Amino acid sequence: MRVQARMRWNHIVPLPRNATRVVRLRTCLPETRRKALTTMAGGHDIGRRFNPYREHNHDRDGAQRGPRRSGRNRADDSVCIASFPVYPLEKWHTRCAPYQQPKELGYFSYDEHRGMHWMSDKELNWYYEPDLADCDLNDGFPHRYITRAPVAERLDALLSSLQKINRKAEAELMPTVTPRFCTWRGIMTRILCTPYSKDEWELGVTLFKGTIYMEEHESEEKRLSAFGGSDRDKLMSYYGYKFESLSTIDKPPSQLKGPGDEALQKRKTAVVNTNIQFCSVFKTKLGSNSLVLGAEVDCLVNDQKPLENPQSAYAELKTNRIISTPNQQRSFERHKLLKIWAQSFLPGIPKVIIGYRTDDGHIRSVEHLKTMEIPRMVRGKQANIWDATVCLNFANGFLDWLTRAVTEDDPDVVYTVRFAKPFQEVQITEKIRVDPVSGSGSSEASFIPVWFR
C-alpha cells in the first residue's frame, strides 16, 4: 500500500511480532489512510503516535537515557515521570546477571502478639512429614484460627534489624552494611516475576543515605482481604497455615520418642496464629546491585542450623490442589512454579515441600522439590514458558534503572512506582514530599521512621 502524504521520517522503532514494517511518522494522515496503516502496524495507531516501547527515551538495552518528564498512564490517566519497558522479552535473553550466594546477617521471631524478638529462633520449627491418614486442613477453622491485624507493617522490622546489625558491627569495629536496595523478599519476588505477570503492583520508593528502600503500597481493601475476603477465601488462606502446622514440630525429629510423642499430638490441635513467624535477614547481590532482604522462613529440615550458610537447612512449605488435568498442570508450571522458584531462590532456600490437597481440604500426597531444579523442570514444556534468566536480567535492569531514576536522597521524598494495565512498562507516576511524623500527603507515603534516621 502506498500512502501519499507529506511526512518527515524519524528513526525506526522496535517491531511488534505481528507488524511487517513500522516507522514513527511525524504527520497528520487522513482518517481512512491512518486506519489502513494502523492495520498494517498490528493495531497501533501510527498516525497519532506509534511508540510501543517508548523508543525515543531508551538505549538499546531498554534502559532509559533520562526520566520522561511528561505523559499519561493510560490505565488511570496519572502522570508518568519515567518508565521502564518490560517488552520485548528477547532483550533479556542474554548472559544471566550474576546472583551472589545469600548470606544471613541475622534473624528474628514474631510472637503470638506480633512482638518482635531479635536473634530469636523460637518460632522456627522443624519439618516432620504430615500424617496423610489424618491430614484434614479444615480442622480448627474458624475457632482455632487467629489472624493478625490488617494494618500496614511497612519496613519497620527490617529497618530495626539493619540498625541492630550495624550497631553490632560498629561495636566490633567491623564494616557496616550499606546496601543499594533494602526491602522484603516478597517485593523482589514480584519484580522477578513481572516479565510473565499480569498482576498489578505499586511500590513506595525512597532514597536515604545511598540506599533505596522499597515498600508495597497496599490498598485498604487488599489489606482487609489478606487472609481472605469471603468465607471460602478465608478457608483457602487457612489451608496454607494449617498445612504448616501439621508438617512441623517444635523440637528436632531425632528427639521424638515415637508416634505418640507429645510434639506430634500437639501439632494436630494447635491454634493457627498468623502473628507467629520466623524471619531471616540476609544480604546478596544481583549484578552490581547489593541488597538486604527480609524473608519469612517456614521450617528447618536439619536437626541443627549450620553456622555457615544456615539457609541450606531451610525449606518452604506450599499447598496446591491435586493436579488432575493437562490444563491444571500447565497452569501450575506457568504460574505457581514461577512464584515458588522466585520466592525460594532469592534467600537461597534449597528445598520446597508441596502438599497436594483435595477440593475438600485433605492432603493426599507430598512432593519435595529442589529449588535450583525448578527452572529445568519447566524448560521447553510449553510455548513461551518462563525463563529464570529473563527474570534475573529483567530484575537487574529494573534495579539499574531505578538507581538512575530515583535521585533525590531524602527520607521524606517518596516515589510511586507502578506496574499496571496494559502491563507494558513499569512507571514512576508520582514524587511527593511528606511529613516525617504524620505521613501527610499519602496514607502510604512515610515509611522511613524518625528513629531510623
Side-chain angles (χ1 to χ4, degrees), residues 333 337 373-382 385-386:
E333 293 169 349
L337 279 184
E373 293 181 0
I374 293 176
R376 288 193 292 271
M377 288 172 54
V378 303
R379 188 176 299 152
K381 296 190 71 174
Q382 300 180 46
I385 193 71
W386 61 272

Side-chain angles (χ1 to χ4, degrees), residues 170-375:
E170 290 171 350
E172 297 174 352
L173 302 180
M174 299 292 288
T176 58
V177 179
T178 306
R180 190 60 180 142
F181 291 89
C182 181
T183 190
W184 293 112
R185 181 260 313 266
I187 289 176
M188 278 303 301
T189 298
R190 282 185 177 274
I191 293 169
L192 235 63
C193 296
T194 294
Y196 300 98
S197 174
K198 300 299 181 186
D199 294 331
E200 294 189 6
W201 51 260
E202 181 176 300
L203 307 178
V205 177
T206 289
L207 174 62
F208 177 52
K209 293 183 178 179
T211 297
I212 293 176
Y213 298 90
M214 300 185 290
E215 72 151 9
E216 184 172 9
H217 278 178
E218 284 187 318
S219 65
E220 185 74 14
E221 179 183 4
K222 186 174 182 180
R223 276 199 297 273
L224 291 173
S225 64
F227 299 99
S230 66
D231 290 343
R232 179 65 178 173
D233 289 340
K234 290 176 183 176
L235 181 61
M236 293 297 102
S237 179
Y238 177 78
Y239 279 178
Y241 290 101
K242 183 65 176 180
F243 177 65
E244 183 177 334
S245 178
L246 292 174
S247 303
T248 57
I249 53 178
D250 59 5
K251 62 182 178 181
S254 62
Q255 297 180 14
L256 290 176
K257 298 175 182 178
D261 192 283
E262 181 185 0
L264 295 177
Q265 300 306 313
K266 187 168 60 176
R267 69 179 183 172
K268 292 184 178 181
T269 58
V271 173
V272 173
N273 188 333
T274 65
N275 286 298
I276 297 173
Q277 285 181 338
F278 171 81
C279 294
S280 171
V281 179
F282 61 96
K283 69 175 182 179
T284 184
K285 181 181 282 189
L286 176 58
S288 61
N289 298 292
S290 58
L291 302 102
V292 166
L293 304 176
E296 181 186 0
V297 176
D298 291 333
C299 62
L300 274 173
V301 290
N302 294 356
D303 267 18
Q304 291 186 338
K305 185 169 68 169
L307 295 177
E308 292 292 328
N309 190 24
Q311 295 99 309
S312 64
Y314 295 159
E316 289 283 341
L317 299 176
K318 300 293 180 184
T319 59
N320 196 77
R321 184 176 180 271
I322 291 173
I323 298 171
S324 55
T325 69
N327 281 342
Q328 290 172 359
Q329 180 67 30
R330 284 191 290 269
S331 177
F332 176 72
E333 293 169 349
R334 182 174 292 275
H335 303 295
K336 189 147 190 176
L337 279 184
L338 168 59
K339 293 179 181 178
I340 287 174
W341 166 78
Q343 187 180 46
S344 305
F345 174 82
L346 284 166
I349 296 176
K351 180 176 284 191
V352 180
I353 302 168
I354 304 175
Y356 291 94
R357 61 166 180 82
T358 60
D359 286 339
D360 59 358
H362 290 81
I363 296 293
R364 291 291 183 245
S365 64
V366 174
E367 182 179 21
H368 294 240
L369 300 178
K370 293 181 179 179
T371 301
M372 298 302 288
E373 293 181 0
I374 293 176

Side-chain angles (χ1 to χ4, degrees), residues 8 25-26 43 50 64 66 70 83 100 135 144 146 196 214 233 242 264 275 302 318 324 330 338 344 391 397 402 426:
R8 182 167 56 174
L25 308 179
R26 194 173 298 173
F50 176 48
Q64 277 205 334
S70 63
S83 64
Q100 191 176 82
C135 199
R144 295 201 309 268
I146 299 173
Y196 300 98
M214 300 185 290
D233 289 340
K242 183 65 176 180
L264 295 177
N275 286 298
N302 294 356
K318 300 293 180 184
S324 55
R330 284 191 290 269
L338 168 59
S344 305
C391 296
L402 207 58
V426 181

